[in-house]
Amino acid sequence: MEEKFGLRALSTGEMLRTAVEDETEIGEQVEKRMASGDLVPDDLIVAMIAERIEEPDCADGVILDGFPRTLPQARMFDEHLAERGMALDLVILFEADDAAMVDRISGRFSCARCGEAYHDTNRPPSREGLCDVCGGHRFRRRADDNPETVRHRLEDYHMLTEPLLPFFREKGILRSVDAMADIGRIARDMESFVAAI
Ligand SMILES: [Zn+2]
């Protein structure tokens, strides 16, 4: 998507880490918040994104990943864009039911030697306990890929992020893809949405 449409993909998590590393003004505030165990406040996140999209590499448009995540973020960002004569063109919702998400995420594991990705039900190694690629026999799971953590993240999503949907639907810019479809299908759907802007 980046190459095909000349869009710059920005991940909020990555930007937060970079801001902290580079010790920017925003980074220092973020670090203070995180050190005291607080969530990074909405206005700080919006300020960070607003600053970043002014960079020359964003001139042809951006894809925002992981933002906005709350209704206040969406409203603030919308106002910020409007002041500059800009607006969001498209919001893509990855649709999936909770049980399927818990299964999809908590079933993930990978080869400890070569990093090949597997899944308990969707893609187990063809010989149990052995990596298809390198023959390794040690596997690892990310600590936050367990069912309980995934359910907790879903609760946050329903409470904080789901209220964004009517906001974007009213603007007529919300499209959705089936997050459980195969990756080729998802990519084709997303490209057709972007192409139609
Ligand atoms: Zn392997």
Side-chain angles (χ1 to χ4, degrees):
M1 293 270 279
E2 283 199 87
E3 279 174 26
K4 193 163 183 178
F5 298 99
L7 301 171
R8 186 77 174 88
L10 302 175
S11 137
T12 318
E14 214 174 287
M15 287 169 66
L16 283 169
R17 282 190 294 276
T18 312
V20 171
E21 274 167 27
D22 294 353
E23 295 172 354
T24 65
E25 217 171 290
I26 288 174
E28 277 171 23
Q29 292 186 58
V30 168
E31 198 169 22
K32 255 185 245 162
R33 293 291 181 146
M34 295 203 298
S36 57
D38 293 329
L39 282 175
V40 182
D42 288 331
D43 54 347
L44 209 55
I45 304 254
V46 175
M48 179 181 74
I49 307 265
E51 202 175 278
R52 181 66 184 83
I53 62 173
E54 300 290 332
E55 303 281 328
D57 63 333
C58 297
D60 292 333
V62 294
I63 303 170
L64 298 169
D65 171 12
F67 174 86
R69 209 167 270 233
T70 68
L71 196 51
Q73 283 179 10
R75 291 211 169 105
M76 266 184 258
F77 190 57
D78 194 52
E79 278 168 31
H80 172 84
L81 291 177
E83 280 167 15
R84 282 158 182 72
M86 297 190 282
L88 287 178
D89 296 305
L90 173 67
V91 174
I92 300 177
L93 168 67
F94 284 71
E95 243 170 340
D97 72 67
D98 285 12
M101 280 301 275
V102 171
D103 178 62
R104 171 75 66 107
I105 297 174
S106 60
R108 297 195 291 210
F109 62 98
S110 61
C111 172
R113 194 199 276 171
C114 75
E116 183 70 6
Y118 294 99
H119 190 277
D120 291 327
T121 48
N122 303 338
R123 191 178 182 265
S126 45
R127 285 171 60 200
E128 203 188 331
L130 284 182
C131 174
D132 295 347
V133 176
C134 73
H137 53 84
R138 283 179 45 236
F139 297 91
R140 61 171 163 234
R141 278 170 205 269
R142 285 173 43 165
D144 55 355
D145 279 354
N146 69 77
E148 202 175 315
T149 311
V150 177
R151 276 187 211 106
H152 188 77
R153 298 212 300 261
L154 284 166
E155 275 167 32
D156 279 352
Y157 170 79
H158 289 304
M159 200 169 66
L160 297 171
T161 308
E162 212 161 54
L164 291 174
L165 301 182
F167 179 76
F168 291 131
R169 198 172 284 128
E170 262 169 46
K171 291 178 177 292
I173 56 173
L174 185 69
R175 303 283 179 277
S176 56
V177 295
D178 175 5
M180 293 297 144
D182 73 82
I183 190 78
R185 170 74 200 273
I186 293 175
R188 280 195 301 279
D189 282 354
M190 289 172 70
E191 282 187 13
S192 70
F193 295 148
V194 175
I197 290 173

